[in-house]
Amino acid sequence: MSAATTRHTSQGSGVVQVTGELIATRRVGAYHHLTFVAPGLAELARPGQFVALAVGGDTSATLLRRCFSIHKVSPSGTYGGTVDVVISAVGPGTRWLSTLRAHDEVDIVGPLGRPFPLPTEPVACVLVGGGYGSAPLFWLAEALRERGCHVELVLGAATESKLFGVLEARRYGDGVSVTTDDGSAGTKGWVSDVLPDVIRRTSAAVVYGCGPMGMLKSITDVATAEGAVAQVAVEESMACGVGVCMTCVMPVTGNDGATRMVRSCVEGPVFRGDRVRWDAFVDGVCRVPADTVGAPRVGGH
Amino acid sequence: MSVRLGSVTLPSPMMTASGCAANGRELARFFDIRELGAFVTKSVMADPRSGRGTPRMAETPAGMLNSIGLQGPGISAFVDKDLAWLKQAGARTLVSIAGNTSGEFADVAATLRSSDAFDAVVGVEVNISCPNVANRGLVFACDPMASAKVVALVREQLPRDTPVFAKLTPDVTDIVGVAQACVKAGADGLTMINTLLGMVIDTDRLRPQVAGVTGGLSGPAIRPVAVRAIWQTRAAMLEGRLPTVPIIGVGGVRNGRDALELVAAGASAVQVGTATFNDPNAPVRVGRELAELLQDKGFERLTDAVGVAHGRLA
Ligand SMILES: Cc1cc2nc3c(=O)[nH]c(=O)nc-3n(C[C@H](O)[C@H](O)[C@H](O)COP(=O)(O)OP(=O)(O)OC[C@H]3O[C@@H](n4cnc5c(N)ncnc54)[C@H](O)[C@@H]3O)c2cc1C
Ligand SMILES: Cc1cc2nc3c(=O)[nH]c(=O)nc-3n(C[C@H](O)[C@H](O)[C@H](O)COP(=O)(O)O)c2cc1C
Ligand code: FES
């Protein structure tokens, strides 16, 4: 275990802040797959939860944490508990993470957010991943199969190099479908093109989704039309990941039928797809629907 | 490290900053919130508010821009749920309040005063850095008269021994003038500074990056502005242009040395805001670092270091 590992958290709070030592980093298609030693985190984590990583080192001017779905955890590896994430290097923080080398250290907070809810009965499930959104699904597949569920995977991306985990998928799913926008692998098209068939063929009761917001909306539409429940892990811009800044909100309808701007880091990232107000998202912006509790009034704020 | 703020003595000068710590439950997962001198809550208004659409933030060099739009549950739900929780957790609470009109500030203070959990309140921070709807959206704290009116109305609603702190904006030409107006109207202390108005343009889409178009700039990038504002106000106190009242320093504090800088400029207590997003333990960690630094420098009490730089001009 890394000597530099520190731990600051209140006991029993379900979350830890640890200095994670990177022990493996490898390229997978367009992504970087990173394994950190993160004592205490693995034991607490469930599929669908995420971690918030500090980037740039101790004196970095890049203050905000970067959030990543947990790809998998191993509670008792040779090095102590480990956590794996799959990173797409798009901006300064993710690029910094992608250049780390073995034994570099990163401050990790996690596990965060609510996990995917698991069905109580052994029903058929379809797991749909877009790009790196596939990362948390294999671990979920394992948990579902342990409960006797039939598991089908549908993996999609713009192009072959942006698919993640197609080879692994055969091991975790009873059936795997692949789509790419450009036809470089699997069926040419979107996951929503093949999804109705998969749901019908398996009589799936639950469709789990993780990927870009537009994809999650179409997964929800297809699942609803086919009589299945959609559970989707969303990705909103997050500054803290722990529920204190209010930057990551989305309009979600509650049990009482009222829409509220809820924090996707603590009430999500997994939501029932039919509860999300997809109508509010347009071109990278999410407006506050007029019927939201406390929505701005004309002449008000 | 105990400090006296008006009629209240706190065991530590460290506080969370309003809007950077939610209302207690979230940070309680990381540290015991009783370790703080006071827990400062998100500014609460009269009615529930959804806040603005998203994106609500943009990262900037050593800081960030936010346009949350004062999302909150409204004062009734706040006292029933959040303040009640803070009370049972044993947190000394500095409640931040806001309003669209000066009357709304007074109503919020009155509801707070009559709540069952009011004994958890060690003070009220009046966030006058929000726009005044009656005055074409001009921020209260940009106008000494408007600031004084809010402070006076809030002061009337609260018991004499509940300290009232006015939270000032740095976006003015004369912050001392606004401070004078607030103290004259009954403020027992000043919190400075709130965020600076800023703007970021998304250069991929060539459009404003946050849904609110402009937003509040915070983080280490603004610390020199906070130090200057505290310095100027403290200097006015030393020159007798302003009665001496405690200043709560806030703006860009990330470690003990940053906190000491605000203290040396004249702050008696320190709030940690944006740095909490980087390190959820920052509000208590900074307190430990500050205590060590003060000891290393031979200060027996925090009070001895407050404004110390004023006597040591280079
Ligand atoms: C719950 C969750 C799970 C995620 N899982 C993964 C994953 O498994 N693999 C992966 O590659 N990416 C994942 N992301 C997206 C990832 O967090 C962003 O791509 C990353 O933060 C961008 O940082 P940057 O420095 O490269 O970009 P910048 O644009 O410079 O980031 C600036 C700020 O905006 C935030 N931000 C920017 N884009 C996003 C975004 N798309 N989502 C959330 N915050 C954003 C950053 O966290 C940072 O605070 C996930 C996001 C969330 C919310
Ligand atoms: C996301 C966010 C929300 C904030 N909300 C409030 C608020 O509700 N009321 C308030 O008085 N200040 C609010 N502030 C300002 C902070 O309390 C603080 O004055 C400012 O951020 C400067 O300190 P910092 O650099 O340590 O963050 C907010 C700041 C941020 C970053
Ligand atoms: S990311 Fe800060 S509240 Fe969700």
Side-chain angles (χ1 to χ4, degrees), chain B residues 220-253:
Chain B
I222 72 165
R223 196 174 64 247
V225 179
V227 174
R228 180 269 297 171
I230 295 164
W231 175 279
Q232 287 178 327
T233 309
R234 178 74 183 184
M237 290 175 190
L238 293 171
E239 290 160 14
R241 287 191 283 135
L242 178 64
T244 298
V245 296
I247 295 172
I248 303 175
V250 50
V253 175

Side-chain angles (χ1 to χ4, degrees), chain B residues 17-20 42-43 66 70 127 167 193-194 218-219 250-252 273-274:
Chain B
S18 179
C20 300
K42 169 95 187 150
S43 297
N66 88 82
L70 288 180
N127 176 11
K167 184 163 178 185
I193 56 175
N194 211 314
S218 63
V250 50
T274 305

Side-chain angles (χ1 to χ4, degrees), chain A residues 167-187:
Chain A
L167 292 177
E168 283 167 291
R170 317 249 169 242
R171 196 149 46 85
Y172 289 91
D174 300 299
V176 181
S177 319
V178 172
T179 66
T180 48
D181 297 1
D182 64 0
S184 53
T187 309

Side-chain angles (χ1 to χ4, degrees), chain B residues 29-40:
Chain B
R29 300 193 295 162
F30 294 93
F31 61 85
D32 183 348
I33 56 179
R34 287 172 301 186
E35 269 190 68
L36 296 164
F39 187 94
V40 186

Side-chain angles (χ1 to χ4, degrees), chain B residues 130-163:
Chain B
C130 46
N132 174 354
V133 289
N135 193 5
R136 286 173 285 114
L138 182 75
V139 171
F140 286 94
C142 289
D143 173 5
M145 298 282 282
S147 301
K149 187 169 174 198
V150 170
V151 170
L153 289 179
V154 169
R155 180 69 280 171
E156 266 175 25
Q157 298 300 329
L158 296 169
R160 194 51 250 178
D161 62 354
T162 302

